[in-house]
């Protein structure tokens, strides 16, 4: 399991190093590719990702339609085209962090009446809900929710049973990706995660993000009731820290 941009290089390198028949028992996939494989097996195949132009058009239409209802962004929504791109970026970032329209609304309702932040969160909640409703209306399902649907399927089907999963070239994961990883930990025979750092508790600034990822993976392993073994591989220019998640029986 590797990042999307690393798929071709990793598949090429592994094919050169493994036996010719290795393709019968190993596969290199990204999270997106994994989702498509699981959808093909258990159902839930989605349309291709929505293009930037289509996303912009749908968001522009959403803002124009909602402008009379928006308290904080109402005036800007009527004619500020830059707001379209800002909202697309904000919603994409929130989805990556596991924040949806309901989460935004709940947070807003905990704040004082008339608070600018309350108004902003309620606007964002309304925009998020309406925008994704338009995407589902046009495409049948929201491609950006692919990993959430993947996670739901993995909770019902043991796709990774008796498999060994190797995860490489990541420095961090989004909330939906962590949800998928939790299901992998619960099902797979073994999981190995390679992280590029000098130690799991590194204090060096350029390794802080990776160290945080290592700690989150350890906490997740505890939730999945699996044993964690750590190995540091020395190298001349860098070190790779391996997390081995071993199933307990």
């Amino acid at each position: 399991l590797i990042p999307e941009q690393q798929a071709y290089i990793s598949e090429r390198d592994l094919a050169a190093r493994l036996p010719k028949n290795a393709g019968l028992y190993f596969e290199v996939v990204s999270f997106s590719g994994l989702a498509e494989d699981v959808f093909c097996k258990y159902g839930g195949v989605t349309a291709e990702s929505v293009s930037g132009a289509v996303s912009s058009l749908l968001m522009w239409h959403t803002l124009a339609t909602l402008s009379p209802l928006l308290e904080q962004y109402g005036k800007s929504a009527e004619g500020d085209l830059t707001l379209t791109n800002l909202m697309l970026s904000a919603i994409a970032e929130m989805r990556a962090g596991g924040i949806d329209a309901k989460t935004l609304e709940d947070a807003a309702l905990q704040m004082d009446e008339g608070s600018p932040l309350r108004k902003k969160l309620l606007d964002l909640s309304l925009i998020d809900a309406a925008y994704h409703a338009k995407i589902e209306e046009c495409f049948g399902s929201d491609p950006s929710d692919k990993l959430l649907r993947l996670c739901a399927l993995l909770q019902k089907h043991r796709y990774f049973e008796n498999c060994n999963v190797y995860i490489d070239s990541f420095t961090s994961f989004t909330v939906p990706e962590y949800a998928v990883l939790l299901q992998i930990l619960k099902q797979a025979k073994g999981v190995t995660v390679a992280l590029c750092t000098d130690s799991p508790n590194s204090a060096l600034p350029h390794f802080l993000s990776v160290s945080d990822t290592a700690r989150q993976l350890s906490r997740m392993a505890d939730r999945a009731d699996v044993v964690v073994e750590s190995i540091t591989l020395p190298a001349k220019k860098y070190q790779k820290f391996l997390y081995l998640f071993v199933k307990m029986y």
Side-chain angles (χ1 to χ4, degrees):
L1 184 62
I2 41 80
E4 192 83 39
Q5 66 273 18
Q6 193 74 18
Y8 171 75
I9 296 174
S10 297
E11 191 165 11
R12 181 197 63 192
D13 291 346
L14 284 172
R17 288 171 170 78
L18 295 176
K20 292 183 179 180
N21 65 339
L24 298 175
Y25 55 83
F26 95 95
E27 184 178 4
V28 178
V29 295
S30 61
F31 277 102
S32 180
L34 172 62
E36 294 300 333
D37 289 347
V38 174
F39 292 159
C40 286
K41 185 170 184 177
Y42 300 117
V45 177
T46 61
E48 293 295 325
S49 299
V50 180
S51 69
V54 173
S55 297
S56 296
L57 183 59
L58 289 175
M59 177 56 76
W60 173 82
H61 188 266
T62 299
L63 293 172
T65 303
L66 294 178
S67 60
L69 305 176
L70 302 177
E71 295 187 74
Q72 192 72 17
Y73 297 107
K75 293 182 179 179
S76 299
E78 293 178 1
D80 188 355
L81 296 180
T82 60
L83 186 62
T84 295
N85 290 330
L86 289 174
M87 283 298 167
L88 286 173
S89 297
I91 287 178
E93 189 170 347
M94 288 188 293
R95 285 297 170 118
I99 300 172
D100 59 12
K102 183 65 166 60
T103 306
L104 292 168
E105 182 182 12
D106 290 343
L109 295 177
Q110 295 178 24
M111 299 180 181
D112 296 334
E113 285 277 357
S115 165
L117 183 55
R118 175 190 172 103
K119 294 178 181 179
K120 183 177 290 188
L121 290 176
L122 287 173
D123 282 1
L124 287 171
S125 174
L126 187 58
I127 292 168
D128 181 279
Y131 171 70
H132 284 95
K134 284 185 180 295
I135 289 182
E136 292 184 6
E137 179 184 350
C138 295
F139 298 95
S141 60
D142 185 353
S144 68
D145 289 338
K146 181 184 291 186
L147 293 188
L148 297 179
R149 291 196 300 277
L150 168 62
C151 187
L153 278 176
L154 291 177
Q155 290 174 347
K156 299 177 182 178
H157 305 282
R158 298 190 62 81
Y159 180 82
F160 291 99
E161 193 163 28
N162 296 321
C163 292
N164 288 301
V165 180
Y166 301 88
I167 303 168
D168 191 21
S169 300
F170 288 96
T171 57
S172 62
F173 300 96
T174 65
V175 171
E177 287 171 346
Y178 273 120
V180 173
L181 290 176
L182 179 60
Q183 297 305 314
I184 294 175
L185 282 173
K186 289 180 176 180
Q187 298 180 21
K189 182 179 179 181
V191 179
T192 302
V193 183
L195 298 173
C196 188
T197 181
D198 59 343
S199 77
N201 298 308
S202 176
L204 296 176
H206 47 287
F207 287 140
L208 287 179
S209 175
V210 181
S211 296
D212 181 62
T213 298
R215 288 190 291 270
Q216 291 197 56
L217 289 171
S218 290
R219 290 193 292 268
M220 193 168 62
D222 290 339
R223 290 172 56 195
D225 292 326
V226 298
V227 176
V228 178
E229 179 184 357
S230 63
I231 302 173
T232 301
L233 302 179
K236 293 180 179 179
K237 295 183 179 180
Y238 63 90
Q239 292 178 321
K240 268 200 172 177
F241 177 78
L242 292 184
Y243 260 139
L244 303 181
F245 297 90
V246 185
K247 298 290 283 189
M248 291 183 66
Y249 296 99

